Amino acid sequence: MGDKMNSGTPSYRADVLIVGSGPIGATFARKLVDGGSSVVVVDAGAQLSARPGQNLKNSYIYQHNPDLFEPVIRSHLHVLSIPPSARAELAVDPSAFPELGDNPSNARNAENPEQNPYRNIPAAAACYAVGGMATHWTCVCPRHHPTMERYNGIAADEWDRYYTEAEQLLGVQQGVFDHSVRQTLLIDALRREFSELPAEYQVQDLPLAVNRIPNNPRMVKWTGVDTILGDLADPGGDPERFRILQEHLCNRLVRDSDGSRIEYAEVRDLVGMRTVRIYADHYVVACGAVLTPQLLWASEIRPEPLGRYLTEHPTVFCQVVLLRDLVDRIEGDERFTEALRAHRRLYPDDTLPIPCADPAPNIWIPVTEGRPWHAQINRDAFHYADLVPHVDTRLIMDLRWFGMVDPRPDNRVWFSDRYTDVHGMPQPTFDFTFSSEDAARLHAMMAEMLRAAMAIGGFLGGSEPSFPTPGLPLHIAGTVRMGEDPDTSVVDTNSRVWGFENLYLGGNGLLPTSTASNPTLTSVAIALKAADRMVEKHYTAS
């Protein structure tokens, strides 16, 4: 890896350029560096932590009070497409604002005049930061159901191999919160309610990318990109081996003369106000399910399936206050005697039999045959509802159910040749609706959530059952889907873009199937598979 000047333009050289420093980009980087390649990673966002891509909710104050983390999440999300308001529709005379140049979207305060508000995904957002969404993600990492969610173009033994490797890389496990009084109490109550579920898919611990900190029962370490990078995230590393260029936006991939390879990437240094070129043998684009097809579009790589077959999890949500009868069971349960005794030594006047240091539950009801949705019962800082004052938060539980959307080519994100986004890239615009089948599943999912809610609590005022804003899960998928036919997919089963020898993609956009479960673990597994093929090619070429 090295720096050089090319016709007066600063440039870098590496074996691999990775666009995007989130968990998928970091997975490629870790695997490729270990395989002997030099890697440059570029990200439009800044580094927000001492080690690149740390999960910010590891701070003591956010673990002590998770509700304080909610505004942090909001502040890191940049909404991608906002329909213009009536005010924005007022005429603007461009000659009165010469500083706007030829970018008409700036005159509308980043609103998108081409967005149909009835076909939008209003909460779809990007996170511009080193580490991407992993700077604040929930770390929920279930495997996708083998028949209902998983793509069958990858063999079962490969899925198992790469899922196992992905779980090790992310530090995924169950049982970290088994010592929680409320977790035990609620799993018992929900198993009684859902006794018909098969044993393997019964109510259970949520698989999480998290590790407990020894000798501190109130603290855990949530996985971030620094976890994935390992020693590559340590200060004083070897820049010839691995380098992250923060606040560098890749705005174009330039093809060679015959069009079958990427020759170089054009990258804008957002702080230095200069354009640089990065030359590599291979290129990986992993900057999210919307920004990845955006970069391809800007590079005039525009296969028909690009941006199409978009899916996003429809959700239902509520918060409950735990039933008094359920809470009263804690006192007489010998499993909780020691925890309660320790709590009352510290807080003798507390009438609530839930230790103040009791970890929040993280409970899961997996997707099962005949149940095309995934359920989480926990206390999360994610912005589904505002904090209600004067209610002891030990009694509040969040219920979230995530459903499936059938992949359809007319559900899509497309990119404007006229308007641009905050970074001057083609403005993304959504064209998305639920089918009647999607809607039927959504309402059936609501009915099951109500059943679970009534088994453990009463609805918290202001957080009654609702259908949250589409896009709020931030699980958009399918936009650069994987497949075996270039007419209906963007990449092959090794994540290589059809028609290109050295261009690979990564992320949730590759997922071609209808899914309900959180996608990150599956996307990491697919990235590991692709990186293995790239390492093989590297050694073959050597």
Side-chain angles (χ1 to χ4, degrees), residues 280-310:
D281 296 325
H282 294 91
Y283 298 79
V284 176
V285 182
C287 48
V290 175
L291 301 187
T292 291
Q294 180 193 57
L295 177 56
L296 267 60
W297 181 270
S299 305
E300 298 188 357
I301 300 170
R302 302 177 178 182
E304 180 60 26
L306 187 74
R308 294 186 179 273
Y309 301 95
L310 185 155

mmCIF file of all heavy atoms in Angstrom, residues 280-310:
data_model
loop_
_atom_site.group_PDB
_atom_site.id
_atom_site.type_symbol
_atom_site.label_atom_id
_atom_site.label_comp_id
_atom_site.label_asym_id
_atom_site.label_seq_id
_atom_site.Cartn_x
_atom_site.Cartn_y
_atom_site.Cartn_z
ATOM 1 N N ALA A 280 -6.749 -0.231 -6.847
ATOM 2 C CA ALA A 280 -6.732 -1.511 -6.135
ATOM 3 C C ALA A 280 -6.918 -2.647 -7.133
ATOM 4 O O ALA A 280 -7.380 -2.438 -8.266
ATOM 5 C CB ALA A 280 -7.831 -1.540 -5.080
ATOM 6 N N ASP A 281 -6.592 -3.846 -6.683
ATOM 7 C CA ASP A 281 -6.858 -5.028 -7.504
ATOM 8 C C ASP A 281 -8.322 -5.437 -7.398
ATOM 9 O O ASP A 281 -8.893 -5.950 -8.363
ATOM 10 C CB ASP A 281 -5.960 -6.188 -7.065
ATOM 11 C CG ASP A 281 -4.482 -5.896 -7.282
ATOM 12 O OD1 ASP A 281 -4.156 -5.213 -8.278
ATOM 13 O OD2 ASP A 281 -3.662 -6.316 -6.437
ATOM 14 N N HIS A 282 -8.899 -5.227 -6.206
ATOM 15 C CA HIS A 282 -10.296 -5.577 -5.980
ATOM 16 C C HIS A 282 -10.976 -4.463 -5.198
ATOM 17 O O HIS A 282 -10.337 -3.768 -4.403
ATOM 18 C CB HIS A 282 -10.419 -6.897 -5.211
ATOM 19 C CG HIS A 282 -9.927 -8.087 -5.989
ATOM 20 N ND1 HIS A 282 -8.627 -8.523 -5.909
ATOM 21 C CD2 HIS A 282 -10.554 -8.905 -6.872
ATOM 22 C CE1 HIS A 282 -8.472 -9.578 -6.697
ATOM 23 N NE2 HIS A 282 -9.624 -9.822 -7.299
ATOM 24 N N TYR A 283 -12.293 -4.342 -5.414
ATOM 25 C CA TYR A 283 -13.091 -3.294 -4.790
ATOM 26 C C TYR A 283 -14.304 -3.929 -4.122
ATOM 27 O O TYR A 283 -14.957 -4.799 -4.717
ATOM 28 C CB TYR A 283 -13.551 -2.271 -5.830
ATOM 29 C CG TYR A 283 -12.401 -1.548 -6.500
ATOM 30 C CD1 TYR A 283 -11.675 -2.165 -7.528
ATOM 31 C CD2 TYR A 283 -12.013 -0.280 -6.099
ATOM 32 C CE1 TYR A 283 -10.590 -1.528 -8.135
ATOM 33 C CE2 TYR A 283 -10.939 0.381 -6.701
ATOM 34 C CZ TYR A 283 -10.240 -0.260 -7.710
ATOM 35 O OH TYR A 283 -9.176 0.380 -8.295
ATOM 36 N N VAL A 284 -14.577 -3.510 -2.901
ATOM 37 C CA VAL A 284 -15.738 -3.986 -2.149
ATOM 38 C C VAL A 284 -16.571 -2.765 -1.751
ATOM 39 O O VAL A 284 -16.044 -1.825 -1.148
ATOM 40 C CB VAL A 284 -15.324 -4.760 -0.875
ATOM 41 C CG1 VAL A 284 -16.564 -5.153 -0.071
ATOM 42 C CG2 VAL A 284 -14.489 -5.977 -1.222
ATOM 43 N N VAL A 285 -17.845 -2.778 -2.106
ATOM 44 C CA VAL A 285 -18.751 -1.702 -1.696
ATOM 45 C C VAL A 285 -19.701 -2.271 -0.645
ATOM 46 O O VAL A 285 -20.452 -3.213 -0.918
ATOM 47 C CB VAL A 285 -19.537 -1.128 -2.881
ATOM 48 C CG1 VAL A 285 -20.437 0.023 -2.423
ATOM 49 C CG2 VAL A 285 -18.581 -0.657 -3.971
ATOM 50 N N ALA A 286 -19.635 -1.712 0.551
ATOM 51 C CA ALA A 286 -20.443 -2.201 1.677
ATOM 52 C C ALA A 286 -20.873 -1.006 2.514
ATOM 53 O O ALA A 286 -20.502 -0.882 3.674
ATOM 54 C CB ALA A 286 -19.646 -3.200 2.511
ATOM 55 N N CYS A 287 -21.634 -0.112 1.888
ATOM 56 C CA CYS A 287 -22.018 1.115 2.595
ATOM 57 C C CYS A 287 -23.519 1.224 2.809
ATOM 58 O O CYS A 287 -24.071 2.327 2.885
ATOM 59 C CB CYS A 287 -21.473 2.346 1.876
ATOM 60 S SG CYS A 287 -21.737 2.410 0.104
ATOM 61 N N GLY A 288 -24.186 0.068 2.923
ATOM 62 C CA GLY A 288 -25.600 0.070 3.264
ATOM 63 C C GLY A 288 -26.474 -0.272 2.072
ATOM 64 O O GLY A 288 -26.075 -0.156 0.910
ATOM 65 N N ALA A 289 -27.720 -0.677 2.370
ATOM 66 C CA ALA A 289 -28.626 -1.180 1.336
ATOM 67 C C ALA A 289 -29.158 -0.087 0.428
ATOM 68 O O ALA A 289 -29.771 -0.386 -0.604
ATOM 69 C CB ALA A 289 -29.792 -1.929 1.989
ATOM 70 N N VAL A 290 -28.944 1.181 0.783
ATOM 71 C CA VAL A 290 -29.341 2.296 -0.086
ATOM 72 C C VAL A 290 -28.109 2.967 -0.698
ATOM 73 O O VAL A 290 -28.062 3.253 -1.895
ATOM 74 C CB VAL A 290 -30.198 3.324 0.680
ATOM 75 C CG1 VAL A 290 -30.496 4.541 -0.185
ATOM 76 C CG2 VAL A 290 -31.502 2.679 1.145
ATOM 77 N N LEU A 291 -27.095 3.222 0.107
ATOM 78 C CA LEU A 291 -25.921 3.930 -0.397
ATOM 79 C C LEU A 291 -25.049 3.060 -1.304
ATOM 80 O O LEU A 291 -24.308 3.583 -2.140
ATOM 81 C CB LEU A 291 -25.094 4.475 0.768
ATOM 82 C CG LEU A 291 -25.831 5.440 1.705
ATOM 83 C CD1 LEU A 291 -24.860 6.040 2.722
ATOM 84 C CD2 LEU A 291 -26.550 6.542 0.939
ATOM 85 N N THR A 292 -25.118 1.742 -1.174
ATOM 86 C CA THR A 292 -24.377 0.862 -2.089
ATOM 87 C C THR A 292 -24.932 0.955 -3.508
ATOM 88 O O THR A 292 -24.177 1.226 -4.450
ATOM 89 C CB THR A 292 -24.373 -0.587 -1.574
ATOM 90 O OG1 THR A 292 -23.568 -0.661 -0.387
ATOM 91 C CG2 THR A 292 -23.800 -1.549 -2.608
ATOM 92 N N PRO A 293 -26.249 0.758 -3.727
ATOM 93 C CA PRO A 293 -26.741 0.945 -5.103
ATOM 94 C C PRO A 293 -26.614 2.395 -5.573
ATOM 95 O O PRO A 293 -26.487 2.642 -6.782
ATOM 96 C CB PRO A 293 -28.199 0.495 -5.025
ATOM 97 C CG PRO A 293 -28.570 0.552 -3.592
ATOM 98 C CD PRO A 293 -27.309 0.257 -2.846
ATOM 99 N N GLN A 294 -26.628 3.352 -4.645
ATOM 100 C CA GLN A 294 -26.425 4.750 -5.038
ATOM 101 C C GLN A 294 -25.063 4.939 -5.694
ATOM 102 O O GLN A 294 -24.936 5.612 -6.719
ATOM 103 C CB GLN A 294 -26.549 5.655 -3.811
ATOM 104 C CG GLN A 294 -26.347 7.136 -4.111
ATOM 105 C CD GLN A 294 -26.167 7.966 -2.859
ATOM 106 O OE1 GLN A 294 -25.253 7.704 -2.061
ATOM 107 N NE2 GLN A 294 -27.036 8.949 -2.646
ATOM 108 N N LEU A 295 -24.008 4.355 -5.087
ATOM 109 C CA LEU A 295 -22.668 4.479 -5.653
ATOM 110 C C LEU A 295 -22.587 3.795 -7.014
ATOM 111 O O LEU A 295 -21.960 4.319 -7.950
ATOM 112 C CB LEU A 295 -21.624 3.907 -4.696
ATOM 113 C CG LEU A 295 -20.173 3.914 -5.191
ATOM 114 C CD1 LEU A 295 -19.717 5.317 -5.587
ATOM 115 C CD2 LEU A 295 -19.238 3.326 -4.132
ATOM 116 N N LEU A 296 -23.214 2.631 -7.151
ATOM 117 C CA LEU A 296 -23.213 1.964 -8.455
ATOM 118 C C LEU A 296 -23.916 2.827 -9.503
ATOM 119 O O LEU A 296 -23.438 2.969 -10.630
ATOM 120 C CB LEU A 296 -23.866 0.583 -8.353
ATOM 121 C CG LEU A 296 -22.916 -0.594 -8.080
ATOM 122 C CD1 LEU A 296 -22.158 -0.427 -6.773
ATOM 123 C CD2 LEU A 296 -23.674 -1.923 -8.101
ATOM 124 N N TRP A 297 -25.043 3.394 -9.141
ATOM 125 C CA TRP A 297 -25.777 4.261 -10.059
ATOM 126 C C TRP A 297 -24.909 5.454 -10.468
ATOM 127 O O TRP A 297 -24.820 5.795 -11.651
ATOM 128 C CB TRP A 297 -27.069 4.728 -9.411
ATOM 129 C CG TRP A 297 -27.902 5.610 -10.305
ATOM 130 C CD1 TRP A 297 -27.857 6.965 -10.412
ATOM 131 C CD2 TRP A 297 -28.892 5.174 -11.233
ATOM 132 N NE1 TRP A 297 -28.760 7.409 -11.350
ATOM 133 C CE2 TRP A 297 -29.412 6.335 -11.877
ATOM 134 C CE3 TRP A 297 -29.402 3.922 -11.593
ATOM 135 C CZ2 TRP A 297 -30.413 6.268 -12.834
ATOM 136 C CZ3 TRP A 297 -30.410 3.859 -12.560
ATOM 137 C CH2 TRP A 297 -30.896 5.026 -13.163
ATOM 138 N N ALA A 298 -24.263 6.100 -9.491
ATOM 139 C CA ALA A 298 -23.403 7.252 -9.786
ATOM 140 C C ALA A 298 -22.232 6.863 -10.666
ATOM 141 O O ALA A 298 -21.676 7.706 -11.385
ATOM 142 C CB ALA A 298 -22.898 7.871 -8.479
ATOM 143 N N SER A 299 -21.837 5.591 -10.627
ATOM 144 C CA SER A 299 -20.722 5.086 -11.440
ATOM 145 C C SER A 299 -21.203 4.554 -12.787
ATOM 146 O O SER A 299 -20.414 3.945 -13.520
ATOM 147 C CB SER A 299 -19.995 3.973 -10.682
ATOM 148 O OG SER A 299 -19.581 4.403 -9.403
ATOM 149 N N GLU A 300 -22.497 4.769 -13.078
ATOM 150 C CA GLU A 300 -23.115 4.296 -14.316
ATOM 151 C C GLU A 300 -23.044 2.780 -14.448
ATOM 152 O O GLU A 300 -22.924 2.232 -15.548
ATOM 153 C CB GLU A 300 -22.523 5.007 -15.535
ATOM 154 C CG GLU A 300 -22.786 6.512 -15.499
ATOM 155 C CD GLU A 300 -22.384 7.222 -16.775
ATOM 156 O OE1 GLU A 300 -21.837 6.557 -17.681
ATOM 157 O OE2 GLU A 300 -22.618 8.438 -16.858
ATOM 158 N N ILE A 301 -23.108 2.107 -13.296
ATOM 159 C CA ILE A 301 -23.280 0.654 -13.259
ATOM 160 C C ILE A 301 -24.737 0.441 -12.871
ATOM 161 O O ILE A 301 -25.112 0.567 -11.698
ATOM 162 C CB ILE A 301 -22.324 0.007 -12.243
ATOM 163 C CG1 ILE A 301 -20.870 0.313 -12.610
ATOM 164 C CG2 ILE A 301 -22.557 -1.498 -12.163
ATOM 165 C CD1 ILE A 301 -19.860 -0.064 -11.539
ATOM 166 N N ARG A 302 -25.581 0.160 -13.867
ATOM 167 C CA ARG A 302 -27.018 0.242 -13.651
ATOM 168 C C ARG A 302 -27.755 -0.975 -14.203
ATOM 169 O O ARG A 302 -28.583 -0.864 -15.110
ATOM 170 C CB ARG A 302 -27.574 1.522 -14.280
ATOM 171 C CG ARG A 302 -26.913 2.792 -13.741
ATOM 172 C CD ARG A 302 -27.425 4.046 -14.424
ATOM 173 N NE ARG A 302 -26.809 5.246 -13.851
ATOM 174 C CZ ARG A 302 -27.104 6.490 -14.240
ATOM 175 N NH1 ARG A 302 -28.017 6.689 -15.186
ATOM 176 N NH2 ARG A 302 -26.494 7.521 -13.672
ATOM 177 N N PRO A 303 -27.491 -2.162 -13.684
ATOM 178 C CA PRO A 303 -28.271 -3.320 -14.132
ATOM 179 C C PRO A 303 -29.736 -3.150 -13.754
ATOM 180 O O PRO A 303 -30.072 -2.454 -12.791
ATOM 181 C CB PRO A 303 -27.620 -4.482 -13.378
ATOM 182 C CG PRO A 303 -27.000 -3.855 -12.166
ATOM 183 C CD PRO A 303 -26.543 -2.497 -12.605
ATOM 184 N N GLU A 304 -30.611 -3.782 -14.486
ATOM 185 C CA GLU A 304 -32.053 -3.625 -14.271
ATOM 186 C C GLU A 304 -32.486 -3.943 -12.839
ATOM 187 O O GLU A 304 -33.343 -3.256 -12.286
ATOM 188 C CB GLU A 304 -32.818 -4.513 -15.266
ATOM 189 C CG GLU A 304 -34.333 -4.435 -15.155
ATOM 190 C CD GLU A 304 -34.896 -3.039 -15.400
ATOM 191 O OE1 GLU A 304 -34.238 -2.242 -16.112
ATOM 192 O OE2 GLU A 304 -35.986 -2.731 -14.866
ATOM 193 N N PRO A 305 -31.923 -4.974 -12.170
ATOM 194 C CA PRO A 305 -32.383 -5.267 -10.796
ATOM 195 C C PRO A 305 -31.887 -4.275 -9.739
ATOM 196 O O PRO A 305 -32.302 -4.357 -8.580
ATOM 197 C CB PRO A 305 -31.817 -6.666 -10.511
ATOM 198 C CG PRO A 305 -31.410 -7.216 -11.836
ATOM 199 C CD PRO A 305 -31.028 -6.030 -12.663
ATOM 200 N N LEU A 306 -31.004 -3.345 -10.099
ATOM 201 C CA LEU A 306 -30.419 -2.442 -9.101
ATOM 202 C C LEU A 306 -31.505 -1.640 -8.391
ATOM 203 O O LEU A 306 -32.311 -0.958 -9.024
ATOM 204 C CB LEU A 306 -29.433 -1.490 -9.775
ATOM 205 C CG LEU A 306 -28.622 -0.601 -8.819
ATOM 206 C CD1 LEU A 306 -27.556 -1.431 -8.116
ATOM 207 C CD2 LEU A 306 -27.971 0.558 -9.574
ATOM 208 N N GLY A 307 -31.510 -1.727 -7.059
ATOM 209 C CA GLY A 307 -32.473 -0.997 -6.250
ATOM 210 C C GLY A 307 -33.820 -1.672 -6.111
ATOM 211 O O GLY A 307 -34.648 -1.246 -5.293
ATOM 212 N N ARG A 308 -34.068 -2.703 -6.895
ATOM 213 C CA ARG A 308 -35.376 -3.374 -6.880
ATOM 214 C C ARG A 308 -35.421 -4.505 -5.852
ATOM 215 O O ARG A 308 -34.438 -4.790 -5.191
ATOM 216 C CB ARG A 308 -35.702 -3.911 -8.275
ATOM 217 C CG ARG A 308 -35.895 -2.792 -9.309
ATOM 218 C CD ARG A 308 -36.365 -3.335 -10.640
ATOM 219 N NE ARG A 308 -36.579 -2.265 -11.607
ATOM 220 C CZ ARG A 308 -37.711 -1.577 -11.735
ATOM 221 N NH1 ARG A 308 -38.750 -1.849 -10.941
ATOM 222 N NH2 ARG A 308 -37.822 -0.634 -12.647
ATOM 223 N N TYR A 309 -36.601 -5.124 -5.728
ATOM 224 C CA TYR A 309 -36.831 -6.225 -4.789
ATOM 225 C C TYR A 309 -36.577 -5.781 -3.344
ATOM 226 O O TYR A 309 -36.218 -6.578 -2.478
ATOM 227 C CB TYR A 309 -35.976 -7.446 -5.130
ATOM 228 C CG TYR A 309 -36.236 -7.996 -6.514
ATOM 229 C CD1 TYR A 309 -35.449 -7.619 -7.600
ATOM 230 C CD2 TYR A 309 -37.297 -8.879 -6.734
ATOM 231 C CE1 TYR A 309 -35.695 -8.116 -8.879
ATOM 232 C CE2 TYR A 309 -37.544 -9.383 -8.009
ATOM 233 C CZ TYR A 309 -36.741 -8.998 -9.067
ATOM 234 O OH TYR A 309 -36.996 -9.487 -10.320
ATOM 235 N N LEU A 310 -36.794 -4.520 -3.079
ATOM 236 C CA LEU A 310 -36.525 -3.958 -1.752
ATOM 237 C C LEU A 310 -37.499 -4.549 -0.720
ATOM 238 O O LEU A 310 -38.699 -4.634 -0.957
ATOM 239 C CB LEU A 310 -36.664 -2.439 -1.801
ATOM 240 C CG LEU A 310 -36.309 -1.623 -0.555
ATOM 241 C CD1 LEU A 310 -35.914 -0.196 -0.971
ATOM 242 C CD2 LEU A 310 -37.464 -1.545 0.441
#
